[in-house]
């Protein structure tokens, strides 16, 4: 019986991704989409302050984006602990997003006071976007791609 259980655990195949890996990818991409929509709504409210509904929806969506980012972060931690190989490398890329954000935030607080035209926000978006894209591709793409 124990032999059957042990083989059933490993007989899933090389293309298997754990549930935390999928949760991480879905969480991070949901956070990105929700944050973009929240920013658009809040900007439209700032352009015309009579749009109170846009303000409320933007604030709620920003909160949901933060919740989705936390979900993605927890999923990334679970995937790093549970998966192996390429999927673990992808989860590590996703796990690096909050670390990069923290470092860029610390640098930006001290830098933007003295030099408000620093390219730090652009660098943060580029680095975070690359980590998100590479991490997603490493997790989602099939295992047999690139092999003959």
């Amino acid at each position: 019986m124990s032999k059957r259980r042990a083989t059933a655990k490993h007989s899933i195949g090389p293309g298997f991704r754990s549930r935390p890996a999928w949760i991480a990818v879905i969480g991070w991409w949901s956070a990105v989409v929700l944050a973009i929509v929240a920013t658009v709504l809040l900007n439209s409210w700032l352009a015309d302050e009579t749009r109170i509904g846009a303000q409320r929806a933007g604030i709620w969506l920003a909160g949901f984006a933060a919740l989705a980012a936390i979900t993605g972060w927890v999923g990334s931690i679970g995937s790093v602990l549970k998966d192996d190989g390429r999927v673990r490398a992808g989860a590590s890329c996703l796990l690096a997003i909050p670390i990069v954000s923290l470092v860029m935030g610390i640098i930006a607080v001290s830098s933007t006071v003295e030099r408000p035209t620093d390219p730090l926000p652009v660098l943060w978006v580029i680095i975070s976007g690359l980590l998100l894209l590479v991490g997603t591709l490493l997790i989602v793409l099939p295992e047999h791609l690139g092999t003959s």
Side-chain angles (χ1 to χ4, degrees):
M1 188 81 145
S2 64
K3 183 178 180 182
R4 182 176 165 202
R5 197 176 315 156
T7 58
K9 182 179 179 184
H10 295 19
S11 66
I12 296 171
F16 176 73
R17 284 121 184 104
S18 67
R19 188 173 298 180
W22 287 110
I23 290 172
V25 170
I26 292 168
W28 282 114
W29 281 102
S30 298
V32 168
V33 170
L34 289 170
I36 290 171
V37 173
T39 302
V40 168
L41 286 173
L42 290 172
N43 281 340
S44 71
W45 169 72
L46 287 172
D48 182 11
E49 291 186 11
T50 61
R51 298 180 182 173
I52 299 298
Q55 176 200 20
R56 289 184 184 143
I59 291 171
W60 274 96
L61 287 177
F64 285 134
L67 184 63
I70 292 171
T71 303
W73 192 38
V74 170
S76 299
I77 292 171
S79 182
V80 165
L81 295 175
K82 191 173 188 178
D83 290 315
D84 58 346
R86 185 173 56 97
V87 177
R88 179 179 280 177
S92 298
C93 287
L94 296 178
L95 192 57
I97 294 173
I99 297 166
V100 167
S101 299
L102 180 68
V103 169
M104 288 295 222
I106 290 170
I107 294 170
V109 167
S110 63
S111 174
T112 55
V113 172
E114 299 166 3
R115 296 178 305 270
T117 58
D118 273 349
L120 288 174
V122 176
L123 286 174
W124 172 73
V125 168
I126 291 171
I127 293 170
S128 297
L130 286 173
L131 285 170
L132 183 64
L133 185 64
V134 168
T136 301
L137 290 176
L138 286 172
I139 291 173
V140 173
L141 289 178
E143 186 77 23
H144 62 82
L145 271 157
T147 60
S148 52

